Amino acid sequence: MRLEEYAGFDALGLAELVARREVTAKELAETAARAIEVANPAVNAVVETYRDRIEGLDEKTLGEGPFRGVPFLMKDVLGHEKGRLCEWGSRLCKGLVTEVDSHLCELFRKSGVNILGRSNAPEFSMSATTENALYGNTSNPWRKGYSAGGSTGGGQAAVTAGMVPMAHGSDIGGSIRIPAGWCGGVGLKPTRGRISAGPSLDEGGFGMTMNFVQVQTVRDAAAMLDCLAVPQAGDPFLVPRPAEPYAAIARKEASPLRIGWSVKPLMDAPVDPEVAAAVKATAKVLADMGHHVEEDDPVYDGVASITSLLDFWFFGFDVRLEAYGERVGRKPGPDTLEPATLALYEHARGLKAAHFFAANAANNRARRSLGAYWGRHDVWLGPTLAQVAEPHGRYNLGLSGLSALEYILVTSRPVQFTVPHNIMGTPAMSLPLAMHSSGLPIGVQIAGPPATEHNLLMLAGALEQAMPWKDRVPPLHVSRLTA
């Protein structure tokens, strides 16, 4: 298979070729390996490939789900596959081997994907940009030297560049939606508890972290949600889901929905006028579809919320890093952690239970205030990010001379619109609905109350038809790098 042909299919498209025996899963794996060899030197999205899953692939080991044979990357954060490295993008964890499969990994395998490598991530997934001292910076496929976003920048950049059609993503403050927004992909953060975090955890990030995938099409997101939204023994919550599969729902037309839109900044960081214009244009398209659309700003103090989240997110962070260090024979310090990570580690060492409970109470107040929006609207429409991608070096964990609070406030400014949905645990989705005059993608975010992924997928499917992005190809794409 020619690389440009391979890169023109989404994940379901490749799976259909395998099902029709027009190509084998091993041929797809070998093609993906060639695509990585061609594009990765320019993008640096992939940190390891598994030769046993490429030329040594035993196709009988693949699951029988809808993505059978599709090349796939696991993020180097929460990529818990027994016997494989998971280094968390950190020198502290270099060489760390996973001891047990996560339920997520088991569900990925059942979906049929061929996990053939790891994607790059910032240290401990704690940055809105994928830059680290262990493996280097991941470039946005639309512009070399610009951020691909974080923390799943490696996964989304690999998808956008045509290396693989789908990759694992995780999201504690926007880490699926940020790279989707900056790279021009599709990024859904599901409802809290929708996808199991077991067996080693009940919930990631005290309930704020959700795992899913980075993709380019709505149908891929919907079909994979069917594969992953499967309760596992011991899960603390059972989240209701529709009777119909998400893959079928995504093809349907949504009944008229109440949609509120807003471009008002949520903290002291302006929204790029072109980003705001993209949201307004989307609002008009949705109104023309028959939805009830009105401008309405949520009530939320982003600075106060982020300040509280510092003590919430990082309570116990020191214990966690020290435990990793014991497993590999290293200690947290300036030689093993990046400057901002070290500041966050030191901050965590000073936290008491009272700090955590106060932060948790602040989260509850923010959740109640934000949740009032769902009394007026079924969908919140807004920017994914306040501006388009920026050059490397502005938000990474290598920044020095900043306190823990200063770092988290600086790096939250561009991603101020993603965090509220982690606080609420609500589903939110970034769609690549416009391009900036600078030549970089603009992400527009749609979100809804808990357990309403079905509404988002129907809207996303309609917007994919009305405001298509399929034909946009970035400069650092397999098809262009091989031309």
Side-chain angles (χ1 to χ4, degrees):
M1 177 180 277
R2 293 179 296 109
L3 291 184
E4 53 268 37
E5 180 187 7
Y6 161 80
F9 286 97
D10 67 358
L12 285 174
L14 290 178
E16 288 160 8
L17 295 181
V18 173
R20 294 197 301 265
R21 299 186 179 181
E22 295 180 26
V23 66
T24 67
K26 184 175 180 180
E27 287 169 339
L28 283 186
E30 291 170 342
T31 305
R34 294 204 314 272
I36 292 168
E37 289 172 2
V38 166
N40 203 51
V43 179
N44 192 36
V46 182
V47 299
E48 182 185 9
T49 55
Y50 305 149
R51 307 316 298 180
D52 59 308
R53 299 268 177 82
I54 302 172
E55 63 264 19
L57 177 65
D58 179 357
E59 297 187 18
K60 294 190 296 294
T61 64
L62 296 172
E64 296 296 331
F67 296 100
R68 190 170 192 276
V70 171
F72 186 85
L73 295 171
M74 194 72 88
K75 185 178 179 180
D76 190 33
V77 169
L78 296 173
H80 292 156
E81 183 176 14
K82 183 178 179 179
R84 301 286 183 182
L85 293 174
C86 182
E87 297 172 311
W88 298 86
S90 177
R91 293 167 295 171
L92 177 69
C93 295
K94 185 172 177 60
L96 186 66
V97 176
T98 300
E99 297 173 338
V100 63
D101 279 338
S102 65
H103 289 324
L104 176 72
C105 183
E106 292 169 348
L107 291 168
F108 275 139
R109 285 199 292 256
K110 287 180 181 179
S111 80
V113 297
N114 179 18
I115 305 170
L116 51 71
R118 285 186 294 148
S119 67
N120 202 13
E123 192 167 50
F124 300 109
S125 203
M126 298 190 317
S127 176
T129 183
T130 301
E131 305 171 41
N132 66 58
L134 180 61
Y135 288 115
N137 303 342
T138 297
S139 277
N140 193 311
W142 286 92
R143 186 163 301 164
K144 189 169 179 60
Y146 275 60
S147 176
S151 61
T152 322
Q156 184 63 65
V159 171
T160 302
M163 294 185 234
V164 293
M166 178 184 284
H168 166 222
S170 61
D171 191 317
I172 193 173
S175 291
I176 288 172
R177 292 158 289 153
I178 295 163
W182 274 349
C183 291
V186 173
L188 169 66
K189 181 196 79 70
T191 296
R192 176 179 180 175
R194 172 70 75 195
I195 297 169
S196 178
S200 300
L201 294 172
D202 55 359
E203 292 191 288
F206 301 112
M208 285 196 180
T209 298
M210 282 305 303
N211 285 283
F212 197 49
V213 288
Q214 311 292 149
V215 291
Q216 290 293 95
T217 65
V218 174
R219 72 172 192 160
D220 278 355
M224 184 53 87
L225 191 58
D226 285 321
C227 297
L228 300 186
V230 180
Q232 301 295 299
D235 283 353
F237 307 110
L238 181 63
V239 182
R241 57 176 292 176
E244 285 187 273
Y246 288 109
I249 290 172
R251 297 193 294 268
K252 292 189 171 185
E253 182 178 339
S255 299
L257 296 168
R258 301 171 300 160
I259 299 175
W261 67 271
S262 175
V263 293
K264 179 184 177 182
L266 301 180
M267 57 191 303
D268 57 341
V271 176
D272 184 297
E274 292 185 47
V275 172
V279 173
K280 294 175 185 178
T282 305
K284 183 179 185 307
V285 169
L286 291 170
D288 291 343
M289 290 178 183
H291 298 289
H292 307 293
V293 181
E294 64 174 320
E295 184 176 7
D296 187 13
D297 300 327
V299 178
Y300 174 71
D301 184 338
V303 172
S305 186
I306 292 296
T307 301
S308 297
L309 281 171
L310 175 64
D311 292 350
F312 184 80
W313 275 332
F314 294 99
F315 184 70
F317 183 59
D318 54 326
V319 176
R320 178 182 155 202
L321 296 200
E322 288 162 7
Y324 288 148
E326 287 182 9
R327 286 173 58 185
V328 292
R330 301 187 190 95
K331 292 184 178 180
D335 295 331
T336 57
L337 298 177
E338 298 179 49
T341 309
L342 184 60
L344 291 163
Y345 167 75
E346 295 293 350
H347 179 82
R349 293 183 69 191
L351 290 176
K352 309 295 185 186
H355 295 113
F356 176 79
F357 285 114
N360 193 44
N363 285 345
N364 179 63
R365 291 191 295 273
R367 187 183 303 113
R368 303 295 176 176
S369 177
L370 286 162
Y373 204 77
W374 309 127
R376 305 189 297 274
H377 308 290
D378 302 309
V379 174
W380 173 3
L381 168 68
T384 303
L385 301 147
Q387 71 254 343
V388 294
E390 298 184 81
H392 288 145
R394 297 191 179 179
Y395 304 109
N396 64 61
L397 290 155
L399 296 176
S400 58
L402 298 176
S403 69
L405 180 58
E406 288 169 338
Y407 173 78
I408 200 169
L409 286 172
V410 166
T411 57
S412 294
R413 288 165 60 89
V415 304
Q416 57 189 281
F417 296 101
T418 60
V419 176
H421 302 291
N422 297 87
I423 294 172
M424 289 189 287
T426 46
M429 191 172 193
S430 180
L431 300 171
L433 298 183
M435 293 294 291
H436 196 270
S437 61
S438 64
L440 294 165
I442 294 173
V444 174
Q445 182 173 242
I446 54 175
T452 58
E453 288 94 336
H454 56 288
N455 282 341
L456 301 188
L457 288 167
M458 284 189 287
L459 284 185
L463 290 168
E464 189 174 26
Q465 295 297 314
M467 306 171 73
W469 57 82
K470 183 179 185 298
D471 293 332
R472 296 185 197 139
V473 179
L476 303 181
H477 187 268
V478 165
S479 63
R480 292 190 170 183
L481 293 169
T482 55

